[in-house]
Amino acid sequence: MLDGYRQPAMPVPSSSRRTRSEPRRAGPASRPARGLRRRTVVALAVVALVGAACGKDTSTPSASPVTSPTGSGTLLLGGNPRSPAADQTPPKGTNGLAFREGVLWIADLNGGQIVVVDPASGTILARYGPDQNVNAKPDDLAVAPDGSVWWTGFDIGKVASIGTDGRSTDIAAMRPGANAIAFSPAGKAYVTMAVTGDGLWELDPANPQSSREVTPTLGNVNAFAFGPDGQLYGPGFAEQVGRVVRIDTTTGATTEVAIGFAFPSALRFDTKGDAFVLSAIGGSVERVDLATGAVTPFAKVPTKRVDNMMWGPDGNLFVTAFDEPLITVISPTGDVVRTLTVGSR
């Protein structure tokens, strides 16, 4: 997520920082309220059961009733919706994104919602908003090992998940600026504070009470990913220098891998294990050799403002646009295949 920054000067080489910090335990999180029965409801009957679950206090986890997402073509209970929603109002923008069983989930930060989309047509299948406990500005998304979709609430520092049974649950409350999220091969979630904050947190889905702040100073690292070597890599922008860093998830120490990017905002690996970096200034995608630090051009994104990206199950790269309902689809060879419009006006 890029909002809140003035356009910086073009980066110049600089020595990297290495930061270490003693881990600090996060405040304990209570278990979600129990006793709610799973029940199927039609899409137009979701209003009555919201109440206090949509409040702004995220100090303790909470669960919303099992309800259909707003505008859903079908109920989201144990699987993805597959039919178009009646409401095709486009999101205000596209930010973090994740694929779940071939369906594209998109965070709409400025719209305060998460939309579920057909990646071939841009048709909206469902949307999650305040009625489903998406009561913060969602910035990034990741699919957990159990199939739930985790998301970060940028404005209030919230981490929550949308379960496969349609239940929206708060996981942890951190500082404002909660940004990137990724799951390690061991199944733990890692979350950065970036743009308006800084730091790295570790969350264990099996034991939320053990969540800890790994370091309060990571170096403004945005959308990151675990590589084929099991290590965490991310794009950092500090001291007007764009770089790729390798992150020690135990200490938070960073090691510079490559340098010279124009405000890098996302790093992703393709199925071959190659790393690609998206730069917000100029909208370029570059391939990075993590062993040598060599950087080669890959693609140019035509949208005005880019934000995040993700490789799709079809082998194409999907790049989001910060303040437009658009996604640029790029082929494995770097060619722009199409521009996908999410929803319809």
Side-chain angles (χ1 to χ4, degrees), residues 9 23 30 53 60 64 97 104 122 145-146 156 179 206 216 238 282 309 326:
S30 60
T60 58
S64 67
L97 66 170
L104 181 57
D146 67 355
I156 61 176
N179 203 305
M309 64 181 182
L326 303 175

Side-chain angles (χ1 to χ4, degrees), residues 38-39 66-67 76-79 100 162-169:
R38 180 183 299 179
R39 60 186 181 277
V66 180
T67 62
L76 187 61
L77 300 175
R100 180 182 181 276
I162 298 173
T164 56
D165 63 352
R167 189 186 304 277
S168 182
T169 304

Side-chain angles (χ1 to χ4, degrees), residues 19-314:
T19 304
R20 289 182 181 267
S21 172
E22 290 297 323
R24 185 174 69 190
R25 295 286 172 181
S30 60
R31 293 182 176 272
R34 298 180 178 176
L36 293 177
R37 295 181 179 178
R38 180 183 299 179
R39 60 186 181 277
T40 303
V41 293
V42 295
L44 298 179
V46 301
V47 180
L49 296 177
V50 181
C54 295
K56 291 292 184 179
D57 181 8
T58 58
S59 59
T60 58
S62 61
S64 67
V66 180
T67 62
S68 167
T70 303
S72 176
T74 57
L75 296 180
L76 187 61
L77 300 175
N80 283 308
R82 298 291 177 177
S83 62
D87 181 5
Q88 291 294 313
T89 304
K92 291 185 178 180
T94 56
N95 301 96
L97 66 170
F99 283 90
R100 180 182 181 276
E101 297 181 3
V103 175
L104 181 57
W105 292 60
I106 304 170
D108 174 15
L109 182 139
N110 287 326
Q113 63 179 338
I114 295 169
V115 293
V116 187
V117 173
D118 181 337
S121 64
T123 300
I124 295 174
L125 307 175
R127 69 179 77 235
Y128 286 86
D131 287 354
Q132 291 74 41
N133 201 31
V134 179
N135 53 7
K137 292 185 175 182
D139 185 29
D140 202 6
L141 305 171
V143 179
D146 67 355
S148 59
V149 177
W150 286 41
W151 58 278
T152 55
F154 179 79
D155 53 335
I156 61 176
K158 169 179 177 174
V159 177
S161 70
I162 298 173
T164 56
D165 63 352
R167 189 186 304 277
S168 182
T169 304
D170 293 352
I171 302 297
M174 295 174 283
R175 296 188 302 273
N179 203 305
I181 183 169
F183 282 90
S184 71
K188 290 186 178 181
Y190 291 87
V191 177
T192 65
M193 311 289 114
V195 182
T196 61
D198 198 6
L200 176 69
W201 288 69
E202 176 189 85
L203 297 92
D204 186 352
N207 184 17
Q209 290 85 352
S210 67
S211 301
R212 68 185 183 100
E213 184 175 31
V214 179
T215 177
T217 52
L218 189 63
N220 192 36
V221 174
N222 215 310
F224 53 9
F226 282 88
D229 59 1
Q231 299 192 73
L232 183 59
Y233 295 87
F237 188 83
E239 299 177 348
Q240 303 296 303
V241 177
R243 54 172 62 90
V244 169
V245 295
R246 182 170 56 248
I247 303 165
D248 186 319
T249 56
T250 300
T251 66
T254 61
T255 302
E256 185 177 284
V257 175
I259 196 170
F261 304 92
F263 198 2
S265 60
L267 181 150
R268 303 298 182 196
F269 291 91
D270 65 5
T271 56
K272 299 178 182 179
D274 292 335
F276 295 81
V277 173
L278 174 67
S279 289
I281 296 178
S284 62
V285 181
E286 295 165 295
R287 189 194 311 264
V288 181
D289 186 324
L290 298 178
T292 65
V295 179
T296 56
F298 175 70
K300 176 75 173 180
V301 185
T303 51
K304 293 184 295 183
R305 297 181 68 186
V306 297
D307 188 76
N308 208 326
M309 64 181 182
M310 185 67 66
W311 289 97
D314 61 357

